[in-house]
Structures are given as C-alpha cells and as structure tokens.
Amino acid sequence: MVEFTMDLNDDQKEVRDWIHGFAADVIRPAAAEWDEREETPWPVIQEAAKVGIYSLDFYAQQYFDPTGLGIPMAMEELFWGDAGIALSIVGTGLAAVGVLANGTEEQIGTWIPQMYGDANDVKVAAFCSSEPDAGSDVASMRTRAVYDEAKDEWVLNGTKTWATNGGIANVHVVVAVVDSGLGSKGHASFIVPAGTPGLSQGQKFKKHGIRASHTAEVVLENARVPGSCLLGGKEKLDERLARARERAKSGGERVKNAAMATFEASRPAVGAMAVGTARAAYEVALEYATTREQFGRPIIDNQGVAFQLADMRTAIDAARLLVWRASWMAVNGKPFTAAEGSMSKLFASETAKKVTGQAIQILGGNGFTREYPVERMHRDAAIYTIFEGTSEIQRLVIARTLSGMPIR
C-alpha cells in the first residue's frame, strides 16, 4: 500500500501541467462559444484526441496511479478549463468503465476502441442508467431485457434519461432489468451499438449549465442485440442471479448493494470536477478583487470581500483534501467505513455551488453578465449536487454507513 501524501511527484506534476496547459490554451478559449451553441464541441474533443487526453490509455494510466491522485488531478484541471467541454471529453469514460467493470476480455477489446475512435474520426459513448421514474431509486428501473433463446438475442424495451452522449454515441451501455423480483440485483448491462433497429434518441435537454455536454433520452423499442452484447456473458449472469435468489431466500437481501458500493468508490472523481470549477471561479474573483478599485483602493481591502475570499480558498482546499483522501483509499483498497467517497462528493459539490455564487457577488453586476465566466461557472456548478447521487443521497449514504444500516 502506498502511503498517503499531498506531494505530487515529478511525473504527476508534469502530467498536471500538461493538462492545465491544454485546459488554458484549448478549452477555455472555446468555452463561451460552445456554452451558447449548446452543442457537442467536436473540434475540441478532436484536439484532445490528437494530444492523447481523449483516449482510454490516458485514463487508464491515471486510474492505475498507485497514489490514487491521477484521476482527481486530471479531473480538476480539465474542469478548471470548463465544465461543459470537460464533461464532453470525459463522458465516454463512464461507458468505458462500465465495460471494464463487467465485460469479458473479448468485449473490452472489441467495444472500447469503438467508443473513442481515433484523432481523425472521434467517437463518443454513452452510459444509460437513469430513467424518468428511476434516478436515485435504481430499484424502480423499468427498462427490460428479455432473452430470446431461439435467436440468442436480447430484446430491450424502455426509456433512459439524462444520458451523456445519449443518441449520438457510437456505443451505448444500457442497464436493464433481467429479473424484476431481485430489485437492483436483477440488473444487467448491455452493449447497444449505433444503428441498432429500435434504438433512437428521445428528447435532447436544454440545460441550465454544462450546456456543451450533450444530454438526452435514449429510447429502446424492441431493440435486439446479439447474446454476445450482454456484458460478462449469460453464464456469469445466470450464476449471479442464482446467488442473489439464494440470498433473498435466506434473508440476505439486506447485504449492501454492490452497485451502490461501486458508485461510492467513483464519487471522488465527481468531487474533483467540482473542485476544478470552484477553483476557477475563485481565481477569477481573486484577480478581480485585487485589480478592481472603489473609493480609491482595491476592493480586496474591504473586509467583506477579503473574508469571502478567505472562506472560498479554505473550502476549496478542504474539498480537495477530502477528494484526495477518498481517491487514495479507493485505489489502495481501504474500506470506506465512514462513506468517505460520499463525504468528498458532498462537500466538494456544495463548495462549488457556494464558491461560484460568492464569485458572482464579488464581481457585482459584472459577475451577473456573460462578459465574465463566473456566471457560466455558477450555472455549471449546480449539476454537481445532482448527478452521481444528489447531496441528499450522499447524506443518506453517510448516515446509514455511520449507523450500520444497509445502503439500498
């Protein structure tokens, strides 16, 4: 086990500076345009692919950093650039992780390259889990997958919502119910390639923030996929369902949900995104406060402004500490006995909302206009308390973990 440290080594610093340079030189100059257009920033994704940031290899290298700091460091720098564009760059990773976590070696080798394409023909992928009536309550999922044994095909029906890259993806990873009697343990994941008959894009959402990231419904109407598109294979699924049924009979249904445990381990990455947005807003506010003069002196000389900046920086550093601790714990196999993953996501996301709001206040009327980026950052920050589990869900997970109650 690697000891926890806040000191980045030389390799990590080099990577951090490289990503920061890309965020500063490529992402930031394009941020306002793509926010206004509310379209996927394909040219920026292509540039990210050319330099190697938009690739599975890059994220794998950061994920396997033994200190655990690779992913949060990368997320913070990209989202410091712009949250909407950054989410367009990293969104494919959600689907890739779904395949890596559940797929066979053959499925991993077949589908993940198709998610990214190449620098000359970039592709994206979508992870489709949430539904109109099943967001935080994953046990209420209604999308069904039925096996047609005669044709060795799975037939999927249902509607997914809030899918990043939904409908425009080259590969969709769809979570569906295969045994409704087992609740969330009766779910399985499927590959649904672009062009599959019965697969279509539903409503594309016009959002408050992260507007450069495509978010839409995905509709499945008797969409048939080969048996080989069931992640992990049918034999493995049948074994897992059999164990779940036995546990249910013996009262084992109160065992901690494995999917929830996976979400708990991934939440620090979202916390790091929030830290990046908060840091960006703080830096704009700090520069403004030191250069903007009122009554013959910089406004940072006013205690009301200075104290706000002090609180902003303190909260950002505290959020980063929580994120880095949880990331280190996850990589080194240390159990989240106090829901440290949820703690990091909760505090960082709430910090991003508050800090971006304070930045607008410090800039005054200028902060309320689109001439300054803090208005956009404040809109973007709102998503962090909602996706990957709302702040209310994080508090519930933390409370139940501390009390010993099961996380459903």
Side-chain angles (χ1 to χ4, degrees):
M1 182 179 69
V2 176
E3 292 297 320
F4 179 70
T5 177
M6 294 293 293
D7 293 325
L8 300 179
N9 59 43
D10 290 341
D11 289 340
Q12 290 170 324
K13 290 177 182 178
E14 184 177 352
V15 171
R16 179 199 60 191
D17 294 344
W18 170 53
I19 301 171
H20 183 83
F22 182 84
D25 298 338
V26 181
I27 294 178
R28 279 208 167 177
E33 175 188 351
W34 292 99
D35 177 72
E36 290 286 348
R37 292 175 62 167
E38 298 191 55
E39 297 174 359
T40 300
W42 292 108
V44 183
I45 299 174
Q46 187 173 37
E47 287 300 311
K50 287 179 179 178
V51 300
I53 290 177
Y54 185 70
S55 70
L56 178 64
D57 288 344
F58 170 73
Y59 293 107
Q61 289 173 12
Q62 303 316 308
Y63 180 80
F64 289 111
D65 180 340
T67 69
L69 303 185
I71 288 294
M73 180 184 64
M75 294 300 105
E76 179 177 338
E77 295 304 330
L78 287 171
F79 281 75
W80 172 89
D82 177 68
I85 292 178
L87 190 57
S88 291
I89 292 172
V90 307
T92 292
L94 297 173
V97 168
V99 175
L100 284 169
N102 301 297
T104 64
E105 289 187 8
E106 182 179 358
Q107 289 170 329
I108 292 170
T110 298
W111 294 110
I112 289 184
Q114 296 185 43
M115 293 180 174
Y116 288 92
D118 57 49
N120 295 317
D121 185 23
V122 292
K123 305 292 185 182
V124 294
F127 183 74
C128 308
S129 178
S130 294
E131 298 184 359
D133 297 317
S136 298
D137 184 11
V138 294
S140 296
M141 190 176 293
R142 295 181 180 179
T143 298
R144 295 289 188 269
V146 177
Y147 184 57
D148 183 343
E149 189 171 0
K151 296 184 177 180
D152 185 26
E153 292 178 339
W154 287 90
V155 185
L156 283 75
N157 282 281
T159 298
K160 295 296 182 179
T161 194
W162 311 125
T164 299
N165 299 328
I168 66 170
N170 195 49
V171 178
H172 292 78
V173 177
V174 177
V175 182
V177 177
V178 294
D179 188 326
S180 58
L182 294 174
S184 60
K185 297 179 181 65
H187 298 173
S189 296
F190 299 85
I191 293 288
V192 183
T196 297
L199 169 70
S200 64
Q201 178 183 308
Q203 176 186 6
K204 178 187 175 183
F205 296 103
K206 296 181 71 66
K207 305 188 298 295
H208 175 65
I210 56 168
R211 302 198 305 192
S213 174
H214 177 98
T215 309
E217 292 180 331
V218 174
V219 180
L220 300 148
E221 298 178 303
N222 291 321
R224 287 179 171 267
V225 296
S228 60
C229 285
L230 166 64
L231 289 180
K234 194 166 187 305
E235 182 177 347
K236 183 178 178 180
L237 172 65
D238 289 342
E239 292 174 356
R240 179 168 63 81
L241 294 177
R243 290 195 301 270
R245 293 180 187 116
E246 285 301 315
R247 285 198 299 267
K249 288 179 183 179
S250 62
E253 66 276 8
R254 295 181 66 86
V255 172
K256 185 175 180 179
N257 185 295
M260 292 299 291
T262 300
F263 290 147
E264 173 73 357
S266 68
R267 282 168 177 155
V270 180
M273 299 173 187
V275 170
T277 300
R279 190 185 110 210
Y282 160 77
E283 290 176 2
V284 173
L286 177 62
E287 180 181 6
Y288 187 87
T290 56
T291 56
R292 171 72 166 175
E293 291 190 358
Q294 291 284 284
F295 306 105
R297 59 181 182 171
I299 63 173
I300 198 171
D301 285 355
N302 297 314
Q303 196 175 77
V305 173
F307 280 14
Q308 281 199 78
L309 288 163
D311 288 344
M312 292 159 73
R313 176 58 186 267
T314 300
I316 291 167
D317 282 13
R320 184 183 297 107
L321 279 166
L322 286 170
V323 166
W324 283 22
R325 179 186 68 168
S327 300
W328 170 78
M329 291 176 68
V331 167
N332 286 280
K334 294 183 71 68
F336 288 160
T337 56
E340 288 87 350
S342 284
M343 282 185 184
S344 69
K345 196 270 185 182
L346 170 64
F347 189 80
S349 59
E350 294 288 347
T351 293
K353 281 187 67 175
K354 184 176 181 180
V355 165
T356 54
Q358 288 174 305
I360 290 177
Q361 192 69 24
I362 289 171
L363 270 66
N366 286 327
F368 199 66
T369 71
R370 295 190 182 182
E371 295 300 313
Y372 287 81
V374 292
E375 175 272 341
R376 184 182 69 250
M377 294 168 182
H378 187 52
R379 287 189 285 107
D380 291 343
I383 193 60
Y384 298 126
T385 62
I386 298 172
F387 71 179
E388 195 80 18
T390 64
S391 287
E392 292 74 20
I393 287 294
Q394 307 309 323
R395 292 185 174 98
L396 182 64
V397 169
I398 295 166
R400 287 188 168 178
T401 301
L402 296 177
S403 68
M405 295 176 64
I407 302 172
R408 300 183 185 279

